[in-house]
Amino acid sequence: MTDPATDAVNAAMEAEFRLLDPTVRSTPALLARLLHPDYVEFGTSGRLWNRASILAELPSHDASAPRPITTSRMQGVQLAPDVVHLTFDTESGGHRAHRSSIWRLTGGEWLLYFHQGTRFAEADAPSPVAAE
């Protein structure tokens, strides 16, 4: 028997990794399938995004050369039966960010409901914490 909380966190992580795929990020139809209708984001630039503004902005980006995104330290916790919170770090094109995502189970699919990215410099990178 599997732990439902572990299953929910794993499903949200799988959805997050799909979202981080450069092909998905550069294809409005694919991205739209992962965003909740009420999606909100505080971007690393400080800009406030919603579902419509993210999808409208995509055509203006150069989709021919999407940047790969490296993730690290991803972990998650189930906050409610239909809500998972993920935290992780990313690096892309020399930019690093701490990230926080809230995923909601909606219509049988895990959809990104909220996201925040905060840039950090390598000198500010967290050091590994030893287990106590």
Side-chain angles (χ1 to χ4, degrees):
M1 186 155 119
T2 61
D3 179 3
T6 301
D7 290 345
V9 169
N10 287 340
M13 284 182 176
E14 287 175 20
E16 186 77 57
F17 284 123
R18 281 195 311 274
L19 181 69
L20 292 168
D21 180 315
T23 302
V24 171
R25 296 179 70 77
S26 63
T27 309
L30 296 176
L31 182 61
R33 287 191 221 155
L34 292 170
L35 299 180
H36 190 278
D38 297 326
Y39 173 73
V40 173
E41 175 179 337
F42 297 121
T44 57
S45 65
R47 183 171 173 184
L48 178 62
W49 299 89
N50 62 26
R51 187 175 194 274
S53 64
I54 284 280
L55 295 174
E57 184 77 14
L58 281 180
S60 69
H61 283 83
D62 181 8
S64 64
R67 290 185 187 164
I69 299 171
T70 303
T71 62
S72 61
R73 300 179 351 109
M74 188 177 287
Q75 57 187 358
V77 62
Q78 186 171 10
L79 301 176
D82 62 343
V83 179
V84 168
H85 179 221
L86 301 179
T87 57
F88 56 101
D89 292 336
T90 60
E91 190 280 325
S92 179
H95 298 286
R96 298 171 188 252
H98 299 301
R99 303 209 175 255
S100 178
S101 293
I102 296 178
W103 290 84
R104 290 183 65 184
L105 186 60
T106 307
E109 299 290 329
W110 286 98
L111 301 178
L112 186 58
Y113 181 76
F114 174 82
H115 182 78
Q116 180 168 353
T118 304
R119 285 194 181 178
F120 70 94
E122 186 172 356
D124 299 329
S127 58
V129 178
E132 294 182 37

